[in-house]
Structure formats: C-alpha cells, structure tokens
C-alpha cells in the first residue's frame, strides 16, 4: 500500500519522459540540437537557481549528521571506486570524461522527484526530514567531487596533447578554478556562504529563484525523453544495465552494510538511507554528461532503465529492511 503513491509518481515521470520522446522524434523543436540547448538552459540557469536557494535555506544546526555520514561514506566510497577502476581501465581513444560520467550514473540518485514522495509516503514526516537533509548535501558532495575529478582528467589530457600548462602547480590551480567556477558547484558554495553569514534572501530574489527552480524537474524529464529519441538505446543498453545494477543493487547494499553494521543505524534512519541509496539514477547524470559531451546516450539510457527497474527493486529493499532487527 505504501508503494502506491511512489508507483504513481514513477508512472507520471515515465509519462513526461515519453512526452519528451515524442517531441524529439517529431522534431517539434527543430533540428538544431534543441536537446543540447535545453540541457544548457538547465545547467546554466535553472539548476543553479534551485541549488542556491536550497542551500541558503538549510538549517545546518538541525542536520542529523550521524545518519548523513552513514549514508555518504558508502556512496562516496563506491563513487570513487567506480571512478578509479574505470580510470585505470581507460583505453587510448576513449573519452577522458568517461569515468566521471559513469561514476555519477552509478551513484547519483533521483532524490527529489522520486525520493521526496517516496520518503513522505513510506516514512512520514520524521523520515521525510531525514531525507530532505540528505538531499541538501547530495549534489554538493557528489557533483563537487566528480567535477574536480573530470577537470583534473581534462587538464592532464590537455598536457599530454601539448595544449596545457605542464607546471604542476599551475595545472592544479586551473583545475581548482574550473571546479569552483562551475554552474553547479559555485551556486552551492555561494548558497552555503549566504547561509553561514545569516543573510536573508530579499522577497523578490527568493520568488525569482523559486520560479526558476520549479522548472528543473519537468525540463530535465522532457530532456531525457528527447535525448532518448535522438540517441536511442542501440549500443548503450549494455552499459545502462550494469550501471543500473550498481545503482539499484550494489549501492543500497553498501549503504545497508555500512549504515547498520558500521554505524549502528536501525529502524527509521536505516530505512530512509537505504531507500535513498536504492533510488534510480537522477537527471543530473544526463546534464553532467552533456556538459562534457561524453556518453550522453548511455547516461540517458541508464536514467530510463533504472527508473523502470526501480518498480521491482524498491519492494525488494523494503522486504530486506523488514528482516533487519
């Protein structure tokens, strides 16, 4: 019964993705790569507005830090592990940003449009408050780290090709600058600085950011459908399946093991973090891949496949949690 609202939300998400697919197939927005234009709009306008407003409104003192650490330790460990293995196995001619793009697909969950209604439906207000605290640090932690990884890889690649600064200090400085002056990282850092200083957001600014942020979810879902229409699943399905398996099975298992046996979580906090780990791939995976023009078809396919398979994997994890005492 508790899964009812979540499944309804999942079907609605798939319907919006299907609408984007129809728009892409029919070329209603023209033939001049409108998916990339929408992706850039999301990346440079709407997502930064949402992230800045979210971080300025955090109640940092009320954060359940122990529970959050129990979640992010296995998530970050798996993300770094996937990145390290793929970076080690990277072959000449393969995209340099590939390891980072695949790492985000394996670890970045749909914590907002799927996670929030799931937490509200299954765990009530107490569980939702834990989940919202997790959401507030989700993008900051994962996107900041992956941005640093990919920018360092790109800097090293430019040096190898003779087009970059070979001085280690200047290369690190350039990487740090590209990591901070970034459409995702910068608004998060600015939002936290605003929050720490205790500055109020003027009413007009807050309302403007709210309006921009509300466009993120429908825009990104339509973008996924359009990208699926343009790229298709051919050649991307195999990658989408193993990345979905990492996201839907390996990651929540890691969160369960570390959270319960490592940090002693039980009951509601354990259930919330495990189900957060079990969420399908979030829209930021596609936006990240478009930012670096790498594996866009695979990121699209992984988002769609993991969202569909979540209907089967979510009840599995709820059953597993019912066995934990």
């Amino acid at each position: 019964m508790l899964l009812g609202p979540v499944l309804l939300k999942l079907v609605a998400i798939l319907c919006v993705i299907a609408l984007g697919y129809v728009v892409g197939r029919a070329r209603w927005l023209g033939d001049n790569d409108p998916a990339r234009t929408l992706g850039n709009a999301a990346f440079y306008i709407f997502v930064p507005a949402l992230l800045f407003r979210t971080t300025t409104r955090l109640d940092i003192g009320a954060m359940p830090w122990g529970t959050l650490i129990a979640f992010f330790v296995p998530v970050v460990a798996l993300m770094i592990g996937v990145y390290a293995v793929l970076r080690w196995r990277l072959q000449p001619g393969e995209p340099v940003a590939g390891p980072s793009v695949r790492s985000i697909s394996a670890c970045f969950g749909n914590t907002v449009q799927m996670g929030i209604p799931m937490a509200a439906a299954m765990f009530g207000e107490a569980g939702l408050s834990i989940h919202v605290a997790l959401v507030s640090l989700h993008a900051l932690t994962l996107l900041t780290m992956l941005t640093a990884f990919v920018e360092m890889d790109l800097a090293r690649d430019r040096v190898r090709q003779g087009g970059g600064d070979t001085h280690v200090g200047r290369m690190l400085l350039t990487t740090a600058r590209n990591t901070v002056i970034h459409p995702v990282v910068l608004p998060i850092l600015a939002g936290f600085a605003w929050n720490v200083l205790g500055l109020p957001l003027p009413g007009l600014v807050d309302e403007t950011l709210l309006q921009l942020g509300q466009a993120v979810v429908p825009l990104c879902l339509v973008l996924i459908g359009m990208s699926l229409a343009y790229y298709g699943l051919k050649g991307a399905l195999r990658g989408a399946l193993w990345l979905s398996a990492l996201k839907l099975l390996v990651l929540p298992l890691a969160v369960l093991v570390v959270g319960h046996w490592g940090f002693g979580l039980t009951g509601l906090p354990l259930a919330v973090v495990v189900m957060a780990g079990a969420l399908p791939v979030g829209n930021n995976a596609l936006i990240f891949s478009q930012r670096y023009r790498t594996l866009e078809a695979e990121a699209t396919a992984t988002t769609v496949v993991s969202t569909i398979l979540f209907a089967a994997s979510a009840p599995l994890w709820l059953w597993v949690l019912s066995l934990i005492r």
Side-chain angles (χ1 to χ4, degrees):
M1 181 178 298
L2 287 176
L3 272 176
V6 178
L7 292 177
L8 179 64
K9 190 75 172 181
L10 185 146
V11 172
I13 287 173
L14 293 176
C15 286
V16 179
I17 291 175
L19 175 61
Y21 180 83
V22 171
V23 170
R25 291 287 292 180
R27 297 297 192 269
W28 287 351
L29 300 183
D31 296 316
N32 296 322
D33 205 357
R36 191 170 300 283
T37 301
L38 287 180
N40 287 336
F43 202 78
Y44 287 101
I45 301 173
F46 301 106
V47 170
L50 175 65
L51 294 176
F52 178 78
R53 184 175 186 271
T54 300
T55 50
T56 60
R57 296 164 63 87
L58 282 179
D59 185 356
I60 297 176
M63 301 281 275
W65 291 110
T67 302
L68 294 178
I69 292 171
F71 173 80
F72 281 109
V73 164
V75 171
V76 170
L78 180 63
M79 183 186 73
I80 294 175
V82 171
Y83 167 80
V85 170
L86 294 177
R87 183 74 181 77
W88 175 63
R89 297 181 60 184
L90 192 67
Q91 299 297 316
E94 292 182 344
V96 175
S100 296
V101 170
R102 283 180 167 142
S103 295
I104 193 174
S105 294
C107 298
F108 199 100
N110 190 341
T111 55
V112 177
Q113 59 262 45
M114 279 301 302
I116 289 177
M118 179 193 71
M122 295 180 185
F123 309 123
E125 185 175 344
L128 181 60
S129 65
I130 297 174
H131 183 82
V132 169
L134 182 155
V135 170
S136 67
L137 297 179
H138 192 234
L140 169 67
T141 304
L142 303 188
L143 286 177
T144 301
M145 292 185 66
L146 285 171
T147 299
F149 290 165
V150 72
E151 291 293 343
M152 179 61 77
D153 287 341
L154 291 172
R156 282 196 293 255
D157 187 60
R158 286 191 293 269
V159 170
R160 280 195 298 267
Q161 296 180 13
D165 195 335
T166 57
H167 188 278
V168 175
R170 285 193 291 268
M171 186 179 73
L172 291 174
L173 183 62
T174 299
T175 301
R177 183 179 66 245
N178 291 343
T179 300
V180 173
I181 308 302
H182 188 276
V184 169
V185 178
L186 185 59
I188 293 175
L189 296 178
F192 267 110
W194 197 282
N195 190 316
V196 170
L197 292 172
L199 301 173
L201 273 180
L204 178 60
V205 174
D206 185 60
E207 183 62 26
T208 301
L209 293 173
L210 175 63
Q211 295 299 325
L212 291 172
Q214 287 176 337
V216 170
V217 170
L219 178 64
C220 290
L221 293 178
V222 169
L223 175 62
I224 290 170
M226 291 180 64
S227 299
L228 187 62
Y230 295 148
Y231 304 128
L233 291 175
K234 187 176 181 180
L237 187 57
R238 181 179 178 182
L241 288 173
W242 74 262
L243 287 170
S244 296
L246 283 175
K247 183 67 194 71
L248 299 176
L249 300 176
V250 177
L251 182 59
L253 177 60
V255 173
L256 173 63
V257 171
V258 174
H260 183 58
W261 286 279
F263 285 83
L265 293 186
T266 58
L268 182 64
L270 179 66
V272 171
V273 296
V274 169
M275 293 309 297
L279 288 166
V281 178
N283 302 332
N284 274 307
L286 174 57
I287 297 175
F288 192 84
S289 71
Q290 287 193 325
R291 159 76 173 178
Y292 295 103
R293 297 184 177 232
T294 300
L295 300 174
E296 293 157 285
E298 185 178 90
T300 301
T302 305
T303 304
V304 174
V305 169
S306 65
T307 301
I308 295 172
L309 294 179
F310 177 70
S313 62
L316 168 66
W317 286 111
L318 287 173
W319 174 74
V320 171
L321 285 167
S322 70
L323 303 178
I324 303 295
R325 294 289 184 268

